[in-house]
Amino acid sequence: MNEIVEARKHNRAALDEQAGKALLAQYGVAVPKTATVSGVDGVEQALKTLKLPVVVKIMSPDILHKSDAGGVKVNLKSAHEVKDAIAAMAASPKIRGARIDGYLVEEMAAPGQEIVIGGLRDPQFGPMVMVGLGGIFVEVLADVSFRICPITRLDAQDMLAELKGAAILKGARGRKPVSQEAIIDVLLKIGGEQGLLMQHANDIKEADINPLIVSESGAVAVDARFILTSGGEC
Ligand code: ADP
Ligand code: MG
């Protein structure tokens, strides 16, 4: 909410990752605990509030795909490793020329299956919500399921059941089954009657939680991006 007002005030077309996660948290979606630092100097202080291991991510309005730019380092186990990661990022060719807002240091989510939850504003139907399995399932196989908002719990269940890769969630091929309830809960918090997309239908053009990491017991949104509508009205 405030995040959207803030972004508009600064004429930004999108929420940055931190603002996006703050918006998700307001709707009850779990996000990792984070701290921000402007460089290596703040690392010790930041780690006092976080549990190791952590992830470091570049914060830049110029970099949308952080991994592609070398802007994500996971599983860092000490202040030393965090500082090395920040120094390496700051020096890397794709990051050197970008505007840098700082570095996000965040706790690692419990291991699990990566899911994508998205949203868009259809000119005809209004807010729509999407779910798919992460990685190649979305990018190569386009195995996704869409609904017009608001969705009910039954819709959310159907959306998951409809995925060709649905068996993966149930623990196919020796994987552990993940909590489908946790995914359904997040789908409702995003696409349900009181969900984020309905509540901000005039402001949000696109939403992308990529990934939501789902374990046997819960789901954490570790990356979030919201693109705002141009006007702030219909
Ligand atoms: P981008 O999509 O911009 O490249 P992400 O923030 O999605 O960057 O991070 C890239 C990948 O790193 C994620 O898909 C996920 O596999 C992993 N990752 C990121 N943050 C976390 C986290 N907090 N816990 C565990 N894994 C993470
Ligand atoms: Mg991502």
Side-chain angles (χ1 to χ4, degrees), residues 41-222:
D41 286 346
V43 167
E44 261 94 6
Q45 188 61 28
L47 288 183
K48 282 186 188 155
T49 62
L50 302 175
K51 267 204 296 282
L52 292 167
V54 294
V55 184
V56 169
K57 301 184 188 183
I58 189 73
M59 295 165 65
S60 165
D62 301 326
I63 299 172
L64 296 188
H65 300 290
K66 301 178 294 287
S67 312
D68 293 352
V72 179
K73 291 259 163 61
V74 301
N75 209 18
L76 304 170
K77 299 187 187 75
S78 65
H80 183 73
E81 286 187 16
V82 173
K83 286 183 184 176
D84 277 358
I86 290 174
M89 276 181 202
S92 90
K94 285 189 182 149
I95 290 173
R96 230 172 16 215
R99 290 173 288 171
I100 297 177
D101 289 337
Y103 300 85
L104 199 61
V105 186
E106 69 180 30
E107 292 184 354
M108 292 282 290
Q113 173 66 39
E114 298 199 355
I115 301 286
V116 178
I117 291 182
L120 58 83
R121 195 166 174 281
D122 183 90
Q124 209 175 342
F125 301 120
M128 298 191 66
V129 63
M130 175 276 257
V131 67
L133 301 175
I136 61 158
F137 289 98
V138 168
E139 283 154 30
V140 183
L141 305 173
D143 181 16
V144 295
S145 166
F146 278 94
R147 286 290 184 286
I148 297 170
C149 299
I151 56 165
T152 64
R153 183 163 287 274
L154 201 61
D155 292 327
Q157 282 164 359
D158 286 348
M159 287 174 80
L160 285 188
E162 232 167 74
L163 296 173
K164 294 187 201 82
I168 302 266
L169 303 173
K170 299 189 183 113
R173 310 205 61 150
R175 296 168 196 240
K176 284 186 185 156
V178 302
S179 171
Q180 298 203 47
E181 275 312 301
I183 306 173
I184 290 164
D185 281 345
V186 178
L187 276 171
L188 286 169
K189 285 167 180 164
I190 302 301
E193 184 89 59
Q194 304 301 323
L196 193 157
L197 293 173
M198 290 300 289
Q199 298 298 313
H200 302 289
N202 294 337
D203 280 312
I204 294 175
K205 187 171 164 211
E206 270 175 58
D208 193 27
I209 303 176
N210 187 2
L212 178 79
I213 301 185
V214 191
S215 69
E216 286 168 286
S217 56
V220 183
V222 306

